[in-house]
Amino acid sequence: MSKIQTTRSPIDDAIYVERELATQAEVQRALALANSAQIRWRQSSLAQRAVICHAMVDILLSKADEIAEQLCWMMGRPIRYGQGEVSGMAERARFMITEAQNALADIKLTKKPGFIRYIKREPLGVVFIIAPWNYPYLTAINSIVPAIMAGNSVLLKHSAQTPLCGEQFANAFAQAGLPEGIFQNLFLSHDETENLIRQPLIKYVAFTGSVAGGEMVERAASGRFIGVGLELGGKDAAYVRADADIAEAVASCLDGAFFNSGQSCCAIERIYVHSEVYDDFVEQLVALVQDYKLGRPDELATTLGPLVNAANADFVRQQITEALAAGAKTHLASHHFPLDKPGSAYLAPQVLTNVDHSMSLMTEESFGPVVGIMKVSDDQQAVSLINDSMFGLTSTVFTRNIKQGIALGEQLATGTFFINRCDYLDPALPWTGVKNSGRGCTLSSLGYQALSRAKSFHIKMTNSE
């Protein structure tokens, strides 16, 4: 008897999607097909692959309205912002398609008399991608396109919260003419996901999600000697120096903290502000947060939707409650956001001051519309506090002194460092983290290294040649 995967909408907690989970037999057939299809696909040219991948992107762009509505109902993003994820996905995909020519080119070595030497990049085989719900297209595309462009086949297991995204990818690739078996979407239980990682035909696993999920992937892949890419959590920080453009810093931190209801691994969750500009910064930020409209995401006026579920919202509520008990101060009244009710997915945005690192709000990932702000006296105190974290995804400094900002960035233990912006992935730059934010990288030319392997050619010429 088939098991059913159920997706409840955060809008009203009603069932939005139901899908049958793949059986063990179906998983094995998919894996065998992916393997046999990849043997042929690796012989295709980069130009052939690029045509198909560009066509896939075109098809998804043509469905932007439909995708925006699905995102709204599956994970609660306000409908007004849904198309933005599709355009962002297209930007990343186009770059990685184009970059393949450079990233996968043979590496020529200096001439050595009597020898021909060069290095090729070869595909791995079957790549297993496990994608999350919070940015379901943007995160998945980071691995899907380069894996296929590198000559691999892909099995995708998307989040149970966003199952229609996997179907959209599968349909778009099919319409674009991708050979059968090169991309397959699977609905899998946690047990079947672990079992698939252990299968000998799986040659790489790309996972985006929680630290606990990353630990599961590492355990399942242990002893297999395969590559594992882990894009995990964050507790990303901003530092506002005394010389910063305060209005610019406020606007950027606001968007970085509250867009997508704060449900981003690289959301700004803690802000350190120099004492000279602290009061001005807090006043301006709080004033702008009050302009948010918390509401049903299917209404165009809504700028802040629900969290993905009530449990996640209650976790953030608990963090706030504990911080208040330890002396923190809130700056926003809940009556401004009447939909905010304990036990629901709807959560009012909140700004807290009088916080410190003894509070989970400043050390554990919140993944919600809340930010803590601390006053600091100088650059070194800010650097020390930013680095005082189990995570290391991104950090940002707001300053007019770019040289000093770069010097601070070189001291920060994060995979990406920004000056005067935050919460953005440039596809030309590798997306990576340190500490509990994971390992490996996606995007940029470096993103192709994990999805292909180096093969050395060392040829001794004969006397007749």
Side-chain angles (χ1 to χ4, degrees), residues 86-211:
V86 184
S87 59
M89 176 277 302
E91 177 192 18
R92 295 184 191 182
R94 304 279 197 214
F95 177 85
M96 294 304 287
I97 294 167
T98 303
E99 187 63 18
Q101 192 73 42
N102 171 58
L104 298 172
D106 292 353
I107 300 173
K108 305 294 185 182
L109 305 180
T110 55
K111 289 186 177 181
K112 182 178 180 180
F115 292 89
I116 297 173
R117 301 177 303 158
Y118 59 94
I119 305 166
K120 292 185 69 70
R121 302 297 307 184
E122 292 195 338
L124 303 176
V126 182
V127 171
F128 184 29
I129 298 173
I130 306 170
W133 54 264
N134 61 322
Y135 284 95
Y137 288 92
L138 287 173
T139 52
I141 205 70
N142 292 352
S143 300
I144 290 174
V145 161
I148 289 175
M149 286 298 300
N152 302 294
S153 59
V154 168
L155 296 177
L156 173 68
K157 187 270 183 210
H158 219 300
S159 167
Q161 192 64 40
T162 46
L164 299 183
C165 301
E167 290 186 345
Q168 289 280 13
F169 275 121
N171 292 336
F173 270 123
Q175 292 177 48
L178 187 70
E180 183 183 11
I182 300 303
F183 179 89
Q184 296 177 78
N185 177 56
L186 295 173
F187 301 112
L188 300 175
S189 67
H190 289 302
D191 287 344
E192 282 300 331
T193 299
E194 289 190 48
N195 288 337
L196 185 52
I197 294 170
R198 296 188 181 101
Q199 297 302 307
L201 289 179
I202 296 295
K203 302 304 182 183
Y204 185 80
V205 181
F207 172 83
T208 304
S210 67
V211 173

